[in-house]
Amino acid sequence: MIKKGITRQIVLHYFFVVFLALLLVEFVFMLAVQRYYYESIYNTISTHISNSKDFFEPISRANNAEDGNNLSRLLENLKLSNTELQILDLNGRVLASSTAFESDRAVLQTSDISQALNGAMGRWVGRELSTGEQIMAVSHKFDLGGDHTYVIRYMTALTMVNSKLLVMGLLASAVGVAVLAIVLIISIGMANSIVRPINNITAVSAQMARGRLDVRVKGNYKHELGELASTLNFMAHEIVRSNQIKDDFISSISHELRTPLTSIKGWSETLDSGGYDPEETRIGMSIISKETERLIGLVEEMLDFSKLQQNQMKLVKGTVSIREIVQETMLNVWAKAEQKQIHLKLDADETYPYNVFGDGNRLKQVFLNIVDNAIKFSHENSWIYLSVKEENGQIIAAIQDTGIGISEEHLIKVRDRFFQVNHQNGGTGLGLAITQELVELHEGTITMQSELGSGTTVTITVPALMEDTNDNGAETQSSDGSIPN
């Protein structure tokens, strides 16, 4: 007995479909065989009747013999082996028979006789009343001239034919049972070939659910099962990778928080002890202020990322000039660039506004992050080129540096959250992830091209503000684009 499950369902479905198909085929086969045998018998008798009629009727008309002689001659000349010949009058009464002369028999009213009286070759299959035996009767009308018109009726038993048909039916049934047995075996094997991998995948997924993320689905499965196994393995790999990234992030952010906190705590204790001149006090307070701003920046970056992940980022949109934002960004990072003697150059038409419909503060955050990264990873005495242009209804802003560049391996991961190319440079690894989310909230795109040792180009594309856009004031939108009440 097959236990309940997919195996049982598959086996039963295959078995049922094949059983119905075999039943239909055997029914059609037996019907065709029976028809073939019955038609063969009918054709043999009807051919004999036609040949006899063509030969016998002209002779009988010429001789115009007496009725008794006609009947005797008909019985003698028209008899056919394995059949009983009957001669009937036009009323259906048996006048003579090849087995006995029965003039007092009851009138026959089978369909073959009525067909013969209408001039056709009549056929009837049924049971003989006296014996109960199944027979076939073939009848036809003979016109011997004058009043000598008879119905010639041949009867043959179908017992032997039916016996052969029964044997063939049993044989076909045996073949059907054998086929069903083979189908049952094959369907069980086929079901097991599907269920075993599913059971294996289920067992592995259960281990993964319990925290065993090091296990993998093993086996070279094909088609959908192979795709399922690959997806499950990939999912486990991504979970492990995500956990590793989170661990690295926690380690990195802990270091990032410890450094300013150590400085703040150290200078706070130093200043609290007193005895320092005003210059040292000013330096200490400056360090505390800078480190505090650094802590605030780290916390705000993590809060921004959390809001983006929960679709809670609020955008205050209005008409914004990308050129002005880029210029403000350059002024904000000018001092930091001067420290590394990095030159900033802007290429943009001063007379063209390059307006977009967006949140100025968030767009400025985007450019500040990208330009700050360009400065951080550029060599001293190098250049950073910024350009803004309008093309096909899009504002395209590009930031190109000649710094250390990014390898192809890291380029595809650099915008992943928590990812850092070099952990020694500090940061949370969220900057570019947040930047991409903010650009996408403005219905724009961000692309990066880089070559290790040759620099990086970051291109931001956002839809330009059409001239007929009616901007009557700022609108506050959530990160999913809806306008809150």
Side-chain angles (χ1 to χ4, degrees):
M1 184 67 180
I2 304 173
K3 64 179 182 180
K4 292 183 178 180
I6 297 178
T7 302
R8 184 174 180 179
Q9 291 296 321
I10 293 175
V11 171
L12 289 178
H13 286 168
Y14 271 101
F15 189 85
F16 184 68
V17 170
V18 175
F19 173 76
L20 289 181
L22 282 175
L23 194 63
L24 179 61
V25 169
E26 290 197 7
F27 175 76
V28 173
F29 170 74
M30 292 305 301
L31 196 64
V33 171
Q34 184 192 53
R35 183 180 180 83
Y36 170 77
Y37 276 103
Y38 282 15
E39 287 293 327
S40 297
I41 295 172
Y42 170 74
N43 290 333
T44 301
I45 296 175
S46 61
T47 302
H48 176 74
I49 291 174
S50 298
N51 293 335
S52 300
K53 183 178 180 181
D54 292 340
F55 173 77
F56 194 78
E57 276 191 342
I59 298 175
S60 297
R61 285 197 188 98
N63 294 333
N64 196 14
E66 291 296 327
D67 191 42
N69 293 332
N70 281 334
L71 295 179
S72 300
R73 287 168 48 218
L74 284 174
L75 290 174
E76 181 66 24
N77 291 282
L78 301 182
K79 62 183 180 180
L80 181 65
S81 60
N82 298 322
T83 63
E84 178 185 351
L85 173 59
Q86 292 179 332
I87 301 175
L88 291 74
D89 61 16
L90 298 181
N91 294 319
R93 188 174 65 251
V94 177
L95 301 177
S97 172
S98 60
T99 57
F101 185 80
E102 304 178 32
S103 58
D104 57 347
R105 286 193 57 172
V107 176
L108 299 179
Q109 296 179 344
T110 54
S111 60
D112 60 306
I113 299 174
S114 59
Q115 293 172 18
L117 292 174
N118 291 326
M121 188 75 68
R123 178 171 62 174
W124 173 76
V125 176
R127 292 195 177 276
E128 176 68 27
L129 294 177
S130 59
T131 62
E133 185 180 28
Q134 189 173 22
I135 63 170
M136 177 186 290
V138 180
S139 303
H140 197 58
K141 186 167 64 173
F142 266 57
D143 184 6
L144 303 182
D147 295 331
H148 305 294
T149 301
Y150 307 102
V151 174
I152 305 302
R153 187 171 188 253
Y154 288 90
M155 292 189 303
T156 182
L158 298 176
T159 305
M160 186 176 297
V161 172
N162 290 337
S163 298
K164 290 182 179 179
L165 291 175
L166 179 61
V167 171
M168 295 182 68
L170 293 175
L171 182 61
S173 299
V175 172
V177 171
V179 171
L180 288 175
I182 295 172
V183 168
L184 184 63
I185 296 172
I186 293 176
S187 60
I188 291 175
M190 183 182 298
N192 287 333
S193 68
I194 297 173
V195 172
R196 284 197 190 102
I198 293 178
N199 290 337
N200 183 27
I201 293 172
T202 302
V204 173
S205 62
Q207 294 184 60
M208 291 180 179
R210 290 193 292 267
R212 289 283 310 279
L213 297 176
D214 57 326
V215 297
R216 294 291 183 271
V217 179
K218 297 180 180 179
N220 186 22
Y221 303 131
K222 297 180 180 179
H223 310 304
E224 286 82 358
L225 289 175
E227 294 178 4
L228 178 61
S230 300
T231 301
L232 192 63
N233 290 337
F234 177 76
M235 181 189 70
H237 172 74
E238 287 299 306
I239 292 175
V240 172
R241 177 174 170 269
S242 179
N243 289 338
Q244 183 62 45
I245 291 174
K246 288 181 180 179
D247 292 341
D248 293 342
F249 168 72
I250 293 172
S251 176
S252 175
I253 200 65
S254 299
H255 174 75
E256 290 295 315
L257 293 173
R258 185 186 297 115
T259 302
L261 288 174
T262 301
S263 298
I264 292 172
K265 184 175 186 298
W267 276 101
S268 297
E269 291 175 349
T270 300
L271 294 175
D272 186 57
S273 63
Y276 291 92
D277 58 33
E279 181 62 24
E280 290 179 334
T281 301
R282 186 186 65 78
I283 294 173
M285 293 301 294
S286 176
I287 291 174
I288 290 174
S289 177
K290 288 181 180 179
E291 295 299 335
T292 302
E293 289 181 359
R294 183 178 172 189
L295 283 174
I296 292 173
L298 289 172
V299 172
E300 286 183 347
E301 193 172 62
M302 289 187 288
L303 286 175
D304 283 346
F305 182 76
S306 177
K307 290 179 180 178
L308 286 169
Q309 290 298 104
Q310 298 176 18
N311 292 328
Q312 294 179 351
M313 178 67 73
K314 305 296 182 181
L315 298 183
V316 182
K317 288 189 174 183
T319 301
V320 180
S321 171
I322 295 296
R323 176 176 54 79
E324 292 180 1
I325 288 179
V326 173
Q327 289 175 336
E328 291 176 7
T329 301
M330 293 173 63
L331 291 174
N332 288 338
V333 300
W334 194 273
K336 187 174 182 179
E338 282 291 316
Q339 291 178 359
K340 295 182 68 173
Q341 298 181 352
I342 295 174
H343 307 283
L344 302 175
K345 182 179 180 181
L346 173 62
D347 180 15
D349 186 355
E350 293 291 332
T351 63
Y352 194 80
Y354 303 103
N355 288 338
V356 299
F357 186 67
D359 188 325
N361 291 329
R362 292 302 180 182
L363 288 173
K364 186 176 180 181
Q365 180 182 348
V366 168
F367 285 98
L368 275 172
N369 185 60
I370 295 173
V371 177
D372 185 70
N373 282 342
I375 294 173
K376 185 187 298 184
F377 297 104
S378 291
H379 305 293
E380 294 185 354
N381 296 316
S382 60
W383 285 83
I384 295 178
Y385 300 94
L386 298 94
S387 65
V388 183
K389 63 180 180 179
E390 192 274 335
E391 187 176 289
N392 298 327
Q394 302 285 325
I395 303 299
I396 302 173
I399 298 95
Q400 180 182 5
D401 65 63
T402 55
I404 62 175
I406 307 172
S407 66
E408 184 178 353
E409 176 187 359
H410 290 152
L411 187 62
I412 59 176
K413 302 178 181 179
V414 73
R415 282 177 283 182
D416 292 349
R417 52 187 178 176
F418 310 127
F419 180 79
Q420 298 181 71
V421 176
N422 187 349
H423 295 281
Q424 296 180 351
N425 289 320
T428 61
L430 294 173
L432 284 176
I434 294 174
T435 297
Q436 176 165 300
E437 292 278 356
L438 289 174
V439 172
E440 290 177 353
L441 286 178
H442 287 83
E443 300 178 1
T445 59
I446 180 170
T447 58
M448 299 182 68
Q449 294 178 329
S450 185
E451 185 177 348
L452 192 62
S454 300
T456 303
T457 300
V458 180
T459 304
I460 298 170
T461 304
V462 289
L465 183 65
M466 297 295 101
E467 294 181 359
D468 58 349
T469 299
N470 184 16
D471 182 21
N472 295 324
E475 292 180 338
T476 302
Q477 291 188 332
S478 62
S479 60
D480 61 0
S482 60
I483 301 176
N485 295 326

